[in-house]
Amino acid sequence: MTSNTPTDDEILRSGFVGIIGRPNVGKSTLLNRVLGQKISITSNKPQTTRNRILGICNRPGEQILFLDTPGIHRAQGPLHRYMVEQALSTCGGVDLVLYLVEAPLGPLRGADEVLERVAASGRPLFLVINKIDQVPRPRLLEIIESYRRYDFAEVVPVSAMTGEGVDGLLNTIGRYLPEGPRYYPADQLTDLPERFIVAEFIREKVMRRTREEIPYGCAVAVETFTEKPEQNLVVIQAVIHVEREAHKRIVIGNKGQMLRTVGSEARKSIEALLGTRVYLELFVRVQKDWTRSERLVRDLGYE
């Protein structure tokens, strides 16, 4: 996937930056903000991101390679163990780590076990306090003070939703990057195939539209992706996998209304991504208890 962002011909500094934190602190929103385009899905439900997602930010003299990760949580079952491993393994392969917390949760009380595991990587560590637009300044100062027990290279308050502080974060990251090559072409936004992002956009709409029990047992697989340039059209067939017959009925909805709504919203996001018209056909299939099966978790692409 590509972008039209202009950059210089020679990258002077480049490096990998891991975005780590608990679920729902705004990691994917921050990645989308720095890229200026959506590649990582978001919702108000925890564990939205399941895979490690690379976002390529090109700036004059710099190429910053962000790795968005699943929220670190208590892992139960093969799918959740996979997600936590994706997050924690990122720390060992990056040049620096952004540890995101959300300001509305207030000051840190006691030890942060997740933060201690992340800090053990030995990489330079930034504390990024997100959602600062939702708290008064005195509260923000209390939050910063509560994290002073940890050895952060930088503390950067931001609002990923509004963009406040994000340019300052990028400038600060740039000072920590080593000299290095251009890892990806200047017009590339991610290394993910379009089919993967399309599947994620569909899953996002299911998560946003359905009740609590559906999203965590939902996976999407794109079965066909046919480009028809002469018609300015892409034809996509995708399957939404759920764990129960009852879940299938919910995703389809009364007379198919829920599935049509999910398809319509997903199609608009996919058209914005691909820059072309899209014909999207969705199916719903039951894979009983797939999140508890090592084999089915791998079959649905989480390996």
Side-chain angles (χ1 to χ4, degrees):
M1 182 178 165
T2 60
S3 162
N4 292 321
T5 304
T7 61
D8 56 332
D9 290 333
E10 181 182 0
I11 293 296
L12 301 178
R13 293 184 177 274
S14 61
F16 291 82
V17 177
I19 308 176
I20 307 291
R22 293 185 182 274
N24 251 33
V25 295
K27 299 182 295 296
S28 297
T29 303
L30 177 62
L31 177 63
N32 294 334
R33 170 65 65 176
V34 300
L35 297 182
Q37 185 168 336
K38 180 174 181 174
I39 66 166
S40 192
I41 68 172
T42 61
S43 85
N44 61 1
K45 297 181 175 67
Q47 287 97 57
T48 299
T49 300
R50 290 178 177 169
N51 297 77
R52 186 168 49 194
I53 294 175
L54 174 71
I56 304 163
C57 178
N58 290 293
R59 309 179 82 219
E62 298 171 358
Q63 186 173 75
I64 310 174
L65 307 168
F66 288 98
L67 290 166
D68 181 21
T69 63
I72 300 176
H73 58 285
R74 293 188 182 277
Q76 296 179 341
L79 177 62
H80 286 245
R81 286 197 299 271
Y82 165 85
M83 291 162 62
V84 171
E85 177 59 30
Q86 286 279 291
L88 292 176
S89 66
T90 296
C91 296
V94 296
D95 296 287
L96 64 92
V97 177
L98 308 183
Y99 185 72
L100 257 67
V101 299
E102 51 179 334
L105 287 182
L108 176 65
R109 308 294 183 189
D112 186 328
E113 295 177 5
V114 173
L115 175 54
E116 289 176 358
R117 294 181 70 180
V118 172
S121 70
R123 299 296 190 273
L125 183 62
F126 288 15
L127 176 67
V128 180
I129 305 173
N130 191 24
K131 306 182 184 180
I132 60 171
D133 53 311
Q134 300 180 25
V135 299
R137 182 171 177 78
R139 185 69 162 168
L140 179 59
L141 295 176
E142 292 176 20
I143 296 168
I144 294 173
E145 184 62 31
S146 73
Y147 278 93
R148 289 202 183 279
R149 73 187 76 171
Y150 294 102
D151 187 21
F152 290 105
E154 302 283 350
V155 177
V156 187
V158 302
S159 171
M161 185 63 69
T162 68
E164 181 181 356
V166 172
D167 283 344
L169 173 63
L170 292 174
N171 291 337
T172 304
I173 289 171
R175 295 199 294 271
Y176 282 79
L177 293 178
E179 291 188 2
R182 185 195 301 276
Y183 289 94
Y184 294 91
D187 62 350
Q188 188 169 341
L189 274 179
T190 183
D191 65 343
L192 295 170
E194 291 173 338
R195 292 172 70 118
F196 174 88
I197 302 176
V198 165
E200 286 288 272
F201 281 2
I202 296 167
R203 186 168 66 87
E204 176 187 57
K205 306 312 177 187
V206 175
M207 293 192 73
R208 290 187 173 189
R209 284 288 177 177
T210 56
R211 299 199 300 267
E212 289 295 327
E213 71 270 22
I214 304 298
Y216 308 110
C218 167
V220 177
V222 173
E223 299 209 327
T224 65
F225 188 102
T226 306
E227 298 182 55
K228 299 186 175 183
E230 69 283 357
Q231 301 178 39
N232 189 32
L233 179 68
V234 174
V235 178
I236 299 170
Q237 290 182 322
V239 176
I240 301 169
H241 295 272
V242 295
E243 292 193 290
R244 304 276 191 278
E245 287 289 346
H247 295 175
K248 178 178 179 179
R249 290 193 293 270
I250 293 170
V251 173
I252 293 174
N254 185 32
K255 298 181 179 179
Q257 182 57 48
M258 177 65 77
L259 192 61
R260 284 195 294 273
T261 299
V262 167
S264 176
E265 293 180 354
R267 178 180 53 78
K268 292 175 183 177
S269 294
I270 296 166
E271 286 181 338
L273 170 77
L274 301 179
T276 186
R277 293 187 303 117
V278 169
Y279 175 79
L280 176 63
E281 191 172 11
L282 297 179
F283 305 90
V284 185
R285 185 175 301 159
V286 177
Q287 289 274 20
K288 185 173 174 57
D289 295 330
W290 72 267
T291 61
R292 297 176 177 87
S293 165
E294 298 277 3
R295 179 182 62 81
L296 290 175
V297 166
R298 288 194 301 269
D299 288 348
L300 290 173
Y302 302 108
E303 58 181 341

